[in-house]
Amino acid sequence: MNIQQNISLKAFNTFGIDVNANAFAEVFTAEDLSIALQYIQQHPQPLLILGGGSNVLFTQNFSGLVLKNSLKGKEIVKENRDKVFVKVHAGENWHQFVLWCLEKNFAGIENLSLIPGCVGAAPMQNIGAYGVELKDVFHELEAVEISTGSSKTFSNQDCEFGYRESVFKKELRNKYIINSVTFMLHNLNVSEHYTYHIDYGDIKAELAENSVFNLNIKAVSDAVIKIRSSKLPDPKDLGNSGSFFKNPVINNDHFAALQLSYPLIPSYHAGAEKTKIPAGWLIEQCGWKGKRVGNTGSHAKQALVLVNYGNAQGNEVKELATAIQQSVMDKFGIAIEAEVNIY
Ligand code: FAD
Ligand code: NAP
């Protein structure tokens, strides 16, 4: 394993922010990882684990070691009636794994097609899209504790998954390196009795447009890919980290009060006495949608996505995010929280 000094992270984050890391290494094997951890113990410094860099915003140089987790491999570890358990190493590309499942006829993550990044980061924020979350198909994960080098298995419950949340984003932030995730998928080769998730957004309309009469996971994935591609900026063309903010969940009383002033406010039930409001709508109402500020701005097709028009500094993006948060607070009395990990 090669530890490089003073490396630009521009190619390693989808926002395309140009900051440097004091040290950078990519780990491909368990041995590389243990060498890296020994190095950290001998040369104490901050450590940042990176997958695909699609959920980070760098606002300054990183004065420590950035470790890109590129552990590869996937294997079927268990089969139980119509369930198949697949263990996937952290450095595998998420969307490639989705495509592999489609090929094998394993159902469960077709709605999560085209999400950028690596498998190891997926539990971090319990990735979700189109009515499906990672936790719905998660069995367990293996992680190494950075301070001791010891391995630990986390069950679904241990991960404390929530809406774009997990224990790894809270109490255990920066404490563990996730090395593999085991998924429990539905094996359509054994049983075709499977509940598809197509009630969300435009999926049904897209399936109808594609004349899909016999539902199948490939058709759902294709529909999701087409919808996503039509409105989300491809980081290759325009730097971004997807939704910058989480959708806020507010009390029903607060929602009822807002409805009096904004009868068209969109909303979704979010558990007892709670309502979820799409943050993109709130941001749009504040006049930010499609607005450019210097080298950054809110995307014209999805206000929730902040973009880098070319040479944005991380701080410019952060300042824009703060201004957006302030105006949503002023207009609606709602605090919107960043989903992206800011360093
Ligand atoms: P990174 O950005 O590399 O890391 C994210 C965080 O996880 C960092 O804090 C990092 O330190 C930590 N981390 C990474 N790997 C590990 C590891 N092995 N062990 C411990 N910690 C680790 N997200 C959704 O949930 N749903 C979506 O639909 C979605 N759509 C997106 C669309 C676009 C265009 C973009 C750019 C992003 C989107 N995202 C979405 C956000 C992002 O793709 C996901 O959160 C993804 O899981 C991040 O993976 P990554 O490998 O790029 O993580
Ligand atoms: P959309 O379909 O325009 O919907 C706007 C928002 O309304 C979404 O954020 C979604 O919340 C919510 N929503 C829509 N239909 C819903 C339903 N039936 N029940 C509950 N909530 C509903 O959103 P979009 O921007 O095109 O994104 C589509 C999906 O991809 C969403 O699930 C979104 O989370 C996901 N996505 C995530 C990221 C990211 O970086 N995190 C980026 C792009 C897309 P939820 O977000 O809670 O699902």
Side-chain angles (χ1 to χ4, degrees), residues 130 202-203 206 222-231:
Y130 297 97
D202 293 333
I203 297 187
E206 190 58 43
D222 287 346
V224 167
I225 290 174
K226 192 153 166 225
I227 301 165
R228 292 182 69 105
S229 308
S230 71
K231 53 173 159 175

Side-chain angles (χ1 to χ4, degrees), residues 1-9 11-12 19-28 32 35-36 39-40 43 45-48 50 62-68 70:
M1 190 200 48
N2 180 16
I3 296 181
Q4 299 166 275
Q5 307 296 324
N6 212 21
I7 289 292
S8 167
L9 294 177
F12 298 103
V19 293
N20 281 358
N22 268 12
F24 178 91
E26 193 165 357
V27 295
F28 296 97
D32 284 349
I35 296 172
Y39 177 84
I40 279 283
H43 308 85
Q45 57 189 297
L47 176 66
L48 171 63
L50 211 52
F62 188 75
S63 59
L65 172 66
V66 171
L67 206 58
K68 183 164 162 55
S70 295

Side-chain angles (χ1 to χ4, degrees), residues 274-300:
K274 301 275 182 200
T275 300
K276 179 176 79 176
I277 318 280
W281 185 86
L282 297 169
I283 296 167
E284 185 176 353
Q285 295 301 304
C286 294
W288 291 105
K289 189 174 184 180
K291 194 166 173 178
R292 179 171 176 163
V293 183
N295 291 313
T296 182
S298 156
H299 193 243

Side-chain angles (χ1 to χ4, degrees), residues 12 14 48-56 69 90 94 112-130 164 168-169 173-174 176-179 228 232-235 240-243 305 339 341 343:
F12 298 103
T14 60
L48 171 63
I49 312 300
L50 211 52
S54 66
N55 204 13
V56 291
N69 190 331
W94 175 265
L112 303 179
S113 296
L114 217 61
I115 298 181
C118 296
V119 167
M124 280 291 296
Q125 70 158 18
N126 178 27
I127 55 167
Y130 297 97
R164 305 289 189 269
F168 301 103
K169 247 185 139 174
R173 194 177 189 92
N174 299 327
Y176 280 89
I177 303 175
I178 297 168
N179 282 337
R228 292 182 69 105
L232 285 171
D234 184 337
N240 73 89
S241 277
S243 305
V305 177
E339 176 180 305
N341 300 279
Y343 294 97

Side-chain angles (χ1 to χ4, degrees), residues 18 40 49 77 86 101 109 112 122 128 158-159 165 203 212 227 239 256 271 277 300 317 323 331:
D18 196 4
I40 279 283
I49 312 300
V77 288
V86 186
C101 289
I109 55 173
L112 303 179
D158 295 334
C159 293
E165 274 299 351
I203 297 187
V212 174
I227 301 165
I277 318 280
V317 181
K331 195 171 169 76

Side-chain angles (χ1 to χ4, degrees), residues 155-226:
S155 68
N156 200 315
Q157 206 181 351
D158 295 334
C159 293
E160 296 176 19
F161 290 125
Y163 172 63
R164 305 289 189 269
E165 274 299 351
S166 77
V167 72
F168 301 103
K169 247 185 139 174
K170 297 183 290 188
E171 301 92 280
L172 298 186
R173 194 177 189 92
N174 299 327
K175 298 222 173 348
Y176 280 89
I177 303 175
I178 297 168
N179 282 337
S180 69
V181 184
T182 303
F183 299 88
M184 185 178 73
L185 301 165
H186 182 94
N187 191 345
L188 290 167
N189 304 304
V190 174
S191 160
E192 290 190 355
H193 192 74
Y194 170 69
T195 309
Y196 289 88
H197 302 274
I198 57 167
D199 289 334
Y200 205 96
D202 293 333
I203 297 187
K204 267 188 186 151
E206 190 58 43
L207 289 168
E209 191 164 311
N210 296 343
S211 307
V212 174
F213 302 112
N214 293 320
L215 260 186
N216 61 83
I217 49 177
K218 170 84 168 55
V220 173
S221 170
D222 287 346
V224 167
I225 290 174
K226 192 153 166 225

